[in-house]
Structures are given as structure tokens and as C-alpha cells.
Amino acid sequence: MLNKKFSPERQSAFEARFEAQKIAYGPVVFQCVRYAWKRGMLQAIADAGEAGLSVEELAATGQWTPYVLKVVLETCLSAGVVLLSEGRYALDKAGFVVLTDPITQINIDFNHDVCYQALFSLEQTLDQEKPLGLKVFGEWPTIYEGLAQLPEPARSSWFAFDHYYSDTSFPDILPDVFATAPRRVMDIGANTGKFTLAALQANAGIELHLVDLPGQLAVADKHLQEAGLRERATLHPTNLLDKAAALPSNMDVIWMSQFLSCFSEEAIASILERAAAALGPRGQVLIMDTFWDRQRYDIASYCLINTSPYFNNLASGNSKVYESDDYVRLAKAAGLELVTARDGIGYCHSLLRFAKAA
């Protein structure tokens, strides 16, 4: 069994109480830091260097009143985003990260634009295991049916979040995909076609079969045509939640990236059973995902664990970021056995390779 702890060793009761207050005021801190970043307050302070700026100097720009500056910067101070010395604010280390780190900015945008309002319904969503928070955007059974219609900026922030995690991994994994010299490759959960485009451009000898909902495949179709690669791709509009929906057969490689985490264990079991049935004689199933238990650093595990409430509240109501052993167990029940596991791909991905059990 996995043993894991995020609190430091020998944490005092006083220190634990301070951490608990950070939880209690987390939404307040989030919004103030985001405001300071988005409205240019942090950038203005950063531009001043170590000398920093006083509230009066910042107010003199005409962008903020002294009142707003004090409210926002005092919260940023409490979060270690800025520091205060002799009445002047300068950027602290966490503030530098907010200003310069792409994944931090993408996570802030995703949580604000996609998750924040919806999370007010988390209690009811957990009780019913239905994505009740999704109602802030539209009346869809899951977010996936509504992706093409999501309002801005939620739509852009969703895709930026999804693509950043996967795009950093694609260059690393293409040799793994081509290791068995496949000719027929199926991309389940093809989304907008990012992986398909990368694979077709890297290997002229393969054909791709894209499986996803019609809305996502319409976008992938457009991207494939623009890239001049449409003739080597076949689209299969499919609702994978329909257990009767069969997959195209005789595949050499079946690829799934950040896909199974969108579903409940029951649905994953069904998808893996159909994937196993769709394999050719020596075919393999390759699953790349963000397993929180296989991360080298706590920062990645922390981010992944705290993405699970999004899956519950907006995505499907019954999915999450899983432990790798969950996939291995479900794959075994579907007649697949783990061949290899590779970690450290991109930002936080692992690649599990399965073959039909002997």
C-alpha cells in the first residue's frame, strides 16, 4: 500500500494551526493574488527591483487607489508573494513564480475561469456523484459534450490546461509509440488531434484512427486538413460511455493520453475490455496519464490530487486523477498485463504499456 505524507516531520501544533488558516482563507488569497497578477500590480513592483514601491508611488500611476492597493498587497504579503520593507513593497519568491512560471499561470487561469464558481456546488456533487457545478456554463451531462460550446475565457483556459500537460510529453513518447513498428494506430480520446498530428508528421508509414465525441473530432478534422494529413486518418465518432459502442479492430497500437481519468472505474473497465478486443495479434495498449502516486516531487502530486475535484464537479461527477495501480488492476481484469512502466515524461506523466495476457 502507498504511504504518503505532505506535512513536514515534527510539525508543531502552532504550525499546523497556521496551515489550517491558510486552508480557511485559501479562496480569498487566490483571488487577491490573481488580481495583483492580472491587473499588473505585481509586474509594476517587479519592475522596480529590490527598491520596491510604496503604496503612494503605486497609486500615483492612476491604476489603483491607495485603498485597493492596501487590501490586495497586504493579502499578497501574507502569502509570501510580496515583502514589505520600510514601507515599500518588493516582489518575494512566490510572486516571481506567479509572474514567470507558465504552469502556475495556467493553473490559476484554469481554477479561476473553469472551476471557481462551479466549486460552490462541490458538496452536492460529491453527495450525488454528478457534475452539478457544470450548470454555471450549460446543461450538459458532462463537460466533454460541452467543450466546443464553453464560453470564453473558460474554453481557452480549459484547453490551455489540457494541452500544456500533454504537449510537454508528446516529443518524449513518440519513440515508445513506434517501438513495435505499428501500422495501424488508434487514438482513443483524440480530442483536437494533437497526438494524431504529431504521430502522422513523425512517421509516414502509419495510419491513425481517431475515436472521440463528434464535437472534438470536428475540430481534429479541421486541423488534419490544414496540415495536409487527412488522408491517413479515419474518424470514428463514438460515445465511449455507451458500452455497446465497439472500437475498430486489428490495431497494432491503441493510444490513450489523459483520457481514462475522465471516467469512473466502471467505465474504464468497459473501455479497457473493448480496447483489448480491438488489438491485433501482437497489439499493445499504451496509456499515458498523470498518476499522482508516481511523481518525483510533492509539488506535482499536490497539483494532481487537487485536480480530482474538477473531475468530480465539472467533468463527469465520478472520475479523478487515479493511482497507477488502479489502471493496472482494471487492465488485468480486462485481459491485459503490464509490460513496462516509464515515469518522468514531460511535466508529470507516466507511460504504461499493456499487452494481451498470455
Side-chain angles (χ1 to χ4, degrees):
M1 292 293 291
L2 176 69
N3 295 311
K4 186 66 178 175
K5 178 179 180 178
F6 284 89
S7 59
E9 294 296 329
R10 293 183 294 277
Q11 184 183 49
S12 71
F14 185 83
E15 290 168 337
R17 195 177 188 196
F18 189 17
E19 292 303 310
Q21 304 323 302
K22 292 179 184 179
I23 296 169
Y25 282 93
V28 176
V29 175
F30 176 88
Q31 288 294 357
C32 286
V33 172
R34 180 185 176 275
Y35 180 95
W37 167 43
K38 290 291 186 178
R39 295 300 184 88
M41 202 179 286
L42 294 183
Q43 188 61 60
I45 292 171
D47 291 342
E50 292 183 5
L53 291 169
S54 67
V55 167
E56 293 74 23
E57 288 169 331
L58 283 162
T61 66
Q63 295 176 267
W64 315 279
T65 66
Y67 166 75
V68 168
L69 286 161
K70 288 180 180 179
V71 168
V72 173
L73 288 178
E74 286 167 11
T75 292
C76 289
L77 174 66
S78 75
V81 172
V82 297
L83 55 86
L84 180 61
S85 178
E86 297 183 355
R88 303 178 73 82
Y89 284 99
L91 204 66
D92 209 343
K93 291 179 181 178
F96 178 79
V97 173
V98 170
L99 274 182
T100 61
D101 182 42
I103 191 59
T104 298
Q105 295 175 352
I106 285 169
N107 285 343
I108 290 174
D109 284 342
F110 176 75
N111 280 307
H112 181 268
D113 298 336
V114 179
C115 300
Y116 205 90
Q117 285 182 287
L119 281 169
F120 195 77
S121 301
L122 183 64
E123 185 175 354
Q124 293 76 25
T125 294
L126 288 167
D127 288 343
Q128 298 184 38
E129 295 188 16
K130 296 178 181 178
L132 302 180
L134 188 56
K135 64 180 180 290
V136 302
F137 297 122
E139 297 296 330
W140 305 293
T142 72
I143 200 170
Y144 307 108
E145 286 90 343
L147 280 179
Q149 292 84 42
L150 272 184
E152 292 293 352
R155 186 174 186 274
S156 293
S157 293
W158 190 95
F159 279 106
F161 180 84
D162 181 73
H163 288 168
Y164 185 88
Y165 280 89
S166 58
D167 289 0
T168 58
S169 305
F170 286 166
D172 266 359
I173 52 79
L174 288 177
D176 296 276
V177 175
F178 303 142
T180 55
R183 309 295 291 181
R184 288 166 56 83
V185 177
M186 180 160 55
D187 182 4
I188 301 182
N191 208 334
T192 60
K194 285 263 186 175
F195 167 78
T196 291
L197 286 168
L200 290 173
Q201 289 166 345
N203 188 329
I206 61 169
E207 61 182 69
L208 260 293
H209 293 259
L210 289 72
V211 177
D212 212 323
L213 294 167
Q216 279 84 297
L217 290 187
V219 179
D221 190 6
K222 180 175 179 288
H223 291 164
L224 287 164
Q225 291 187 42
E226 290 172 349
L229 297 168
R230 183 63 180 83
E231 71 281 357
R232 287 197 286 136
T234 304
L235 308 183
H236 303 272
T238 307
N239 181 357
L240 271 300
L241 288 174
D242 178 2
K243 294 181 180 181
L247 296 169
S249 61
N250 200 30
M251 293 293 157
D252 299 316
V253 163
I254 295 177
W255 170 259
M256 287 180 267
S257 173
Q258 289 181 204
F259 176 69
L260 293 179
S261 54
C262 303
F263 301 97
S264 67
E265 285 201 11
E266 180 184 4
I268 293 171
S270 171
I271 292 167
L272 289 174
E273 287 171 5
R274 283 174 280 166
L279 289 175
R282 291 179 296 278
Q284 295 186 334
V285 175
L286 274 61
I287 300 173
M288 186 171 76
D289 222 319
T290 51
F291 304 107
W292 73 260
D293 62 311
R294 300 188 72 94
Q295 302 305 313
R296 183 178 179 184
Y297 300 111
D298 282 351
I299 185 173
S301 295
Y302 178 89
C303 292
L304 293 172
I305 286 172
N306 289 299
T307 304
S308 285
Y310 148 77
F311 282 106
N312 168 254
N313 196 40
L314 282 139
S316 69
N318 52 22
S319 56
K320 66 187 295 291
V321 175
Y322 288 94
E323 295 179 47
S324 57
D325 283 350
D326 293 326
Y327 282 14
V328 174
R329 168 174 51 82
L330 293 167
K332 184 176 181 180
L336 298 167
E337 61 182 4
L338 183 67
V339 178
T340 59
R342 185 161 82 85
D343 300 322
I345 302 169
Y347 181 69
C348 55
H349 283 80
S350 298
L351 182 66
L352 307 182
R353 183 185 295 271
F354 296 93
K356 282 188 176 181

